[in-house]
Amino acid sequence: MQRGRLRVLLGAAPGVGKTYAMLEEGHRLASEGVDVIVAVVETHGRAATAALTEGLETLPRRGVEHRGVTLDEMDLEAVLARHPELALVDELAHTNAPGSVNEKRWQDVEALLAAGVSVLSTVNIQHIESLNDVVRQITGAPQRETIPDAVLRAADQIELIDLAPQALRDRLAGGRVYPAERIDAALSNYFRLGNLTALRELALLWLADEVDSALRDYRTEHGIDSTWEARERVVVALTGGPEGETLLRRGARIAARSSGGELIAVHVTTQDGLRSANPGALAQQRALVDTLGGTFHQVVGDDVPRALVDFAKAANATQLVIGVSRRSRLSAAVTGPGIGNTVIRESGNIDVHIVNHEAAGGRFRLPKLGGALSARRHIAGFALALIGGPLVTWLLHLARTEESITSEVLSYQLLVVLVALVGGFWPAVFAAVLSGVTLDFVFVQPLYTVTIDDPAHLVALVLYVVIAVIVSGVVDLSARRARTARRAAAESELLATVAGSVLRGEGALQALVSRTRESFSLAGVRLVAGEQVLAVDGEPTRGGDFTSIPIGTRAVLELHGGVLAASDRRLLAVIAAQLDASLEHTDLRATAREVGPLAATDRVRSALLSAVSHDLRRPLAAATAAVTGLRATDVELTTADRQDLLETADDSLRTLAALVTNLLDVSRLQAGVLAVTVAPIDVEDAILPAFDELGIGPHDAELDLAPDLPPVLADAGLLQRVIVNLLTNAQRFSPDDTPVRIATSGFRDAVEIRIVDHGPGIAPDRREDVFVPFQRLGDTDNLTGLGLGLALSKGFVEGMGGTLEPEDTPGGGLTMVVSLPAARDQEGTAR
């Protein structure tokens, strides 16, 4: 019997439309003549989903008794007896009721597939077993129903049912996912925008990896070795050397240029372990790979280039990043082409990037003036003369004839020129004398003597020497000018770096000190101001040579382990000037940091004085007038008049006391001296007294307090004031016929208090303004205080280690969310 096919619709979260899409596909296939039945569909009370089941044959469910409750489950025996072509089975990760044939619904699906029945099913990303811990970290909620990865990966077809996070929240707020009483809790917990975005990314990445695996299997089955550039994959080869960080960052930039680019780092070790990398550097580079969002791999192979290319092809890489060889030219000439050349030759259609780095040519240093050619060039010239002279003599002696004297002279002349080009003046003179004597001794009559009978022979020897001097002089002049040019370029690079370091600001001192040590090949450099070390690089105590350069009147630059030439001191004067400018820049920045808070304090003080002069005038005037009326002797006051005046004075003085208290609290908040006593308390112990303080009754507000909430770490008095302020605002803006709502819920290791109103709300771009002191968002009635309520509330909550954030209320309005840390027991769990 042919096995049935499994097709799974994968979603990032409940409500994205998996069941709806499954039923739509069932209708489409049924219209094409496919025998389709609905084995089980979970509508969760959604009318639109339930309506789609009409027109499709639906098998009755089987009732299972469990602890006196009848649970409806899919009737596996009935589906097998009916044996349709396609069965629609919702929620693949569902756990069956105790007493069912199988524990899990996916096991029922396996039975259907084995019987030749194809299945179309649904599952959410949070139900995949391997992702359970990741989903719990994202949402804070554990998933008890999971499905093994192998079951899902064995599906013949997996399709993603995708929906943008905000669109899903809008669908949820519109009541198309959960009933109205569950909307607020869902929006504030599982269906947060950040949670949905992370779950969506997780679903996309999981499916992309599944597609990758299928692509690899297909290429393996069909023997396809070439790269298919479905997306950019950048493989960075790490040796464990100092260039690793440079290569990784370059690879990350290449991968970031394309959407979905992937960074892969690989280190090749040999089987005998002879090529051992620096373990510390490799560990740091591995940590950097994780920071850059890449993956690290280690492979074993004696042929490093071949191992690199094989790994890149197996990873379906499009780019391969390697560093320039750290070998010298002599080593390269002796040992042959390096890894880079071999990788380029073997890579096929993989693009190879060879990245230059500091380790390629040693650290940056200024070339030395004085002397045109190096000692190595001189030694090479003498060696060429000593080896080339006998070799030329032997070859010419083998081919010697009576008329060959001209070619013999020119051959020795060529040798002299070559020696001059390689070694300069003295090796050329040595080669000229040696070749002249050899020519006279071996090829000029009388043979095998150094007697010069013919003056022309003496002239030839002199000409040899003159030619050697001229050619070597040209070579020496060219080398001198090349070295001068390199010196000038290096000085320009140093000056550009120095200027750039000053412009960059924060790290200028350290950058200048480090560059100075590298440029002049010093053991260490320090910048000190009195007893304080401002910047240091290298080992300043090593070596006996020491130079001290004053940096204005602020500091001293100490140079250890090297003697500086006059030309170096000219550059050091430039560096000293830049260090002086950088120190001045640092001093000015420190002064600006000191002045900034003073300016802010001055602005707050000005606003405070302006607000105090305006908003305190009304209660003061009212209280003064009431007291004056009570003290008047020329007016006969009735008992009612006296009572009104006393109430006016009492209300005005109470308002005045509240305003002054708020002003003092704001001052303490801004000064950072707010006294907060945090202890475990129940949120109800702060909410109910706040209701009593405001005189709020059952008709003025709705309470939705979650049971079994852990205590929170808070100051009871401050928390009560926060709730009073928020409830006052909510009542003020909420319509008269719509009561405010206060709800509590637990989320991860925090407890949230939500004060919900259905007023006009606040535009997203103005939400930060409501927490600024003396802001009333355009109110001009001057009857609502100084505009300190929300500023104080936010300061109080943050002082207790929590957060206060505004959110939109579904259907319109504003929800203020107070989040406070849950108290923990001695075992570290929320209690």
Side-chain angles (χ1 to χ4, degrees):
M1 181 183 298
Q2 185 177 2
R3 180 179 172 84
R5 293 176 58 84
L6 175 60
R7 180 179 170 189
V8 179
L9 305 182
L10 176 67
V16 296
K18 303 179 302 299
T19 304
Y20 199 91
M22 179 183 71
L23 292 171
E24 282 188 328
E25 182 66 5
H27 278 284
R28 186 187 68 81
L29 293 173
S31 66
E32 296 177 357
V34 178
D35 183 14
V36 180
I37 67 161
V38 176
V40 60
V41 166
E42 307 291 352
T43 64
H44 298 291
R46 300 165 194 162
T49 305
L52 269 182
T53 60
E54 298 178 3
L56 293 174
E57 180 184 349
T58 303
L59 293 184
R61 299 195 189 186
R62 181 173 61 90
V64 179
E65 292 289 336
H66 179 62
R67 295 182 179 178
V69 178
T70 302
L71 303 176
D72 291 334
E73 296 292 352
M74 182 181 74
D75 193 340
L76 177 61
E77 289 80 2
V79 178
L80 290 172
R82 172 66 173 76
H83 203 280
E85 293 183 57
L86 177 67
L88 306 184
V89 181
D90 205 6
E91 296 188 0
L92 188 60
H94 172 76
T95 301
N96 293 328
S100 301
V101 176
N102 295 306
E103 180 184 359
K104 295 286 189 177
R105 186 168 289 172
W106 62 264
Q107 295 172 325
D108 294 340
V109 169
E110 280 291 319
L112 293 176
L113 296 174
V117 177
S118 295
V119 175
L120 176 57
S121 188
T122 64
V123 73
N124 283 326
I125 193 68
Q126 69 264 28
H127 296 300
I128 299 177
E129 178 66 40
S130 63
L131 302 179
N132 197 9
D133 292 341
V134 179
V135 172
R136 181 173 184 176
Q137 291 175 2
I138 294 172
T139 64
Q143 297 296 325
R144 295 178 178 82
E145 293 185 331
T146 59
I147 179 175
D149 289 51
V151 174
L152 194 55
R153 294 186 187 279
D156 299 280
Q157 189 174 346
I158 302 175
E159 300 177 26
L160 181 67
I161 306 301
D162 191 28
L163 187 65
Q166 188 56 53
L168 179 55
R169 282 175 60 87
D170 294 342
R171 178 182 289 183
L172 182 65
R176 287 175 286 173
V177 179
Y178 290 145
E181 62 273 11
R182 295 180 58 190
I183 292 177
D184 283 342
L187 285 173
S188 62
N189 292 286
Y190 193 90
F191 286 83
R192 291 170 179 254
L193 188 61
N195 289 357
L196 296 178
T197 303
L199 291 173
R200 186 189 191 197
E201 181 183 20
L202 195 63
L204 291 170
L205 290 175
W206 190 92
L207 190 59
D209 289 340
E210 181 64 20
V211 172
D212 240 5
S213 177
L215 180 60
R216 283 195 300 269
D217 293 342
Y218 178 85
R219 294 174 63 223
T220 301
E221 291 173 3
H222 292 78
I224 299 173
D225 190 40
S226 60
T227 300
W228 287 6
E229 300 182 12
R231 60 173 166 166
E232 204 76 60
R233 284 186 177 85
V234 182
V235 172
V236 178
L238 299 178
T239 64
E243 74 280 359
E245 292 188 5
T246 301
L247 301 184
L248 286 172
R249 290 191 170 90
R250 177 63 62 85
R253 289 197 297 271
I254 295 173
R257 291 173 187 167
S258 64
S259 178
E262 185 178 349
L263 177 66
I264 305 170
V266 58
H267 173 65
V268 179
T269 59
T270 56
Q271 293 179 350
D272 55 13
L274 295 179
R275 282 196 195 97
S276 58
N278 183 340
L282 202 59
Q284 293 177 356
Q285 291 163 18
R286 185 167 189 167
L288 179 59
V289 172
D290 295 336
T291 303
L292 295 174
T295 58
F296 180 86
H297 303 266
Q298 191 160 344
V299 298
V300 177
D302 290 327
D303 188 348
V304 175
R306 169 57 61 184
L308 279 176
V309 173
D310 289 345
F311 177 84
K313 289 182 177 179
N316 204 25
T318 58
Q319 314 275 344
L320 180 57
V321 179
I322 60 177
V324 173
S325 175
R326 291 182 301 220
R327 299 180 307 160
S328 65
R329 294 180 180 178
L330 180 61
S331 298
V334 173
T335 61
I339 292 176
N341 292 332
T342 307
V343 168
I344 292 174
R345 186 172 60 250
E346 301 289 339
S347 62
N349 56 354
I350 300 176
D351 295 337
V352 180
H353 301 263
I354 299 183
V355 179
N356 198 8
H357 50 83
E358 291 184 357
R363 304 196 74 175
F364 175 85
R365 56 181 299 176
L366 295 174
K368 299 293 184 182
L369 290 177
L373 297 176
S374 63
R376 185 182 300 176
R377 291 278 297 274
H378 290 308
I379 294 174
F382 280 112
L384 179 60
L386 291 173
I387 297 173
L391 181 61
V392 169
T393 301
W394 178 65
L395 293 175
L396 292 176
H397 189 270
L398 293 178
R400 181 176 179 275
T401 62
E402 293 294 335
E403 294 80 15
S404 63
I405 188 61
T406 303
S407 61
E408 293 159 357
V409 171
L410 293 177
S411 297
Y412 280 108
Q413 187 68 66
L414 176 62
L415 176 63
V416 172
V417 171
L418 291 176
V419 172
L421 290 174
V422 173
F425 180 77
W426 290 112
V429 172
F430 173 74
V433 174
L434 181 62
S435 61
V437 172
T438 303
L439 183 64
D440 180 71
F441 185 82
V442 178
F443 299 104
V444 178
Q445 296 292 338
L447 301 178
Y448 310 118
T449 65
V450 293
T451 303
I452 303 178
D453 293 335
D454 192 342
H457 296 167
L458 181 60
V459 172
L461 181 59
V462 173
L463 288 177
Y464 277 134
V465 176
V466 170
I467 291 173
V469 170
I470 293 174
V471 174
S472 62
V474 172
V475 172
D476 206 59
L477 179 62
S478 175
R480 189 183 302 276
R481 289 179 176 175
R483 182 165 295 228
T484 302
R486 289 197 301 272
R487 172 79 182 194
E491 289 181 357
S492 299
E493 182 184 350
L494 176 60
L495 294 177
T497 303
V498 166
S501 299
V502 175
L503 292 175
R504 283 189 292 271
E506 284 291 337
L509 294 178
Q510 184 60 49
L512 287 170
V513 168
S514 299
R515 198 62 169 171
T516 301
R517 186 181 77 83
E518 294 176 7
S519 300
F520 299 105
S521 302
L522 299 171
V525 177
R526 286 198 311 178
L527 180 65
V528 296
E531 299 296 328
Q532 181 183 7
V533 178
L534 303 179
V536 63
D537 190 72
E539 301 177 12
T541 58
R542 190 180 68 188
D545 296 320
F546 172 80
T547 304
S548 177
I549 298 176
I551 307 298
T553 58
R554 295 181 177 85
V556 175
L557 184 66
E558 298 178 354
L559 311 176
H560 298 258
V563 179
L564 301 179
S567 58
D568 294 335
R569 292 181 179 273
R570 176 173 57 84
L571 284 177
L572 276 175
V574 176
I575 294 176
Q578 296 292 353
L579 281 171
D580 191 24
S582 182
L583 286 171
E584 183 178 0
H585 188 265
T586 302
D587 293 342
L588 291 175
R589 190 186 304 112
T591 303
R593 282 197 297 267
E594 295 175 359
V595 172
L598 295 178
T601 302
D602 187 62
R603 288 194 298 270
V604 172
R605 186 181 295 111
S606 299
L608 178 62
L609 291 174
S610 175
V612 166
S613 65
H614 194 281
D615 289 321
L616 296 186
R617 185 178 303 159
R618 183 182 62 82
L620 280 174
T624 301
V627 172
T628 301
L630 289 170
R631 296 182 60 185
T633 58
D634 56 344
V635 178
E636 186 73 25
L637 297 177
T638 65
T639 303
D641 292 336
R642 186 176 296 278
Q643 185 65 30
D644 289 341
L645 288 174
L646 287 173
E647 289 180 358
T648 299
D650 183 64
D651 290 341
S652 299
L653 291 175
R654 193 183 307 114
T655 301
L656 184 61
L659 291 175
V660 172
T661 300
N662 284 342
L663 288 172
L664 293 175
D665 286 340
V666 166
S667 300
R668 289 200 298 270
L669 280 174
Q670 293 180 339
V673 293
L674 176 67
V676 179
T677 303
V678 174
I681 65 169
D682 292 328
V683 292
E684 293 86 349
D685 295 340
I687 295 174
L688 298 180
F691 273 54
D692 294 338
E693 180 178 340
L694 294 175
I696 295 178
H699 301 292
D700 301 318
E702 295 179 359
L703 277 177
D704 182 11
L705 305 181
D708 302 326
L709 280 179
V712 297
L713 293 175
D715 185 308
L718 293 182
L719 181 57
Q720 180 178 333
R721 290 189 61 189
V722 169
I723 296 173
V724 167
N725 285 338
L726 297 179
L727 281 173
T728 301
N729 277 345
Q731 282 189 308
R732 179 182 171 216
F733 289 105
S734 196
D736 294 337
D737 58 345
T738 305
V740 298
R741 181 170 175 268
I742 183 166
T744 60
S745 61
F747 180 72
R748 296 187 181 175
D749 296 329
V751 173
E752 293 185 342
I753 306 171
R754 309 176 70 82
I755 291 91
V756 183
D757 69 61
H758 293 276
I762 302 176
D765 58 340
R766 298 299 308 277
R767 288 180 180 171
E768 291 300 321
D769 296 342
V770 301
F771 298 113
V772 178
F774 318 115
Q775 296 292 322
R776 290 192 291 258
L777 289 184
D779 293 346
T780 57
D781 58 9
N782 296 324
L783 300 176
T784 57
L786 296 173
L788 298 176
L790 289 179
L792 283 173
S793 298
K794 188 174 182 67
F796 290 162
V797 173
E798 291 178 349
M800 293 183 287
T803 60
L804 175 60
E805 299 291 341
E807 292 183 358
D808 288 328
T809 299
L814 183 70
T815 298
M816 300 299 293
V817 183
V818 179
S819 179
L820 294 169
R824 291 180 170 273
D825 55 23
Q826 294 181 351
E827 296 179 357
T829 58
R831 58 180 185 174

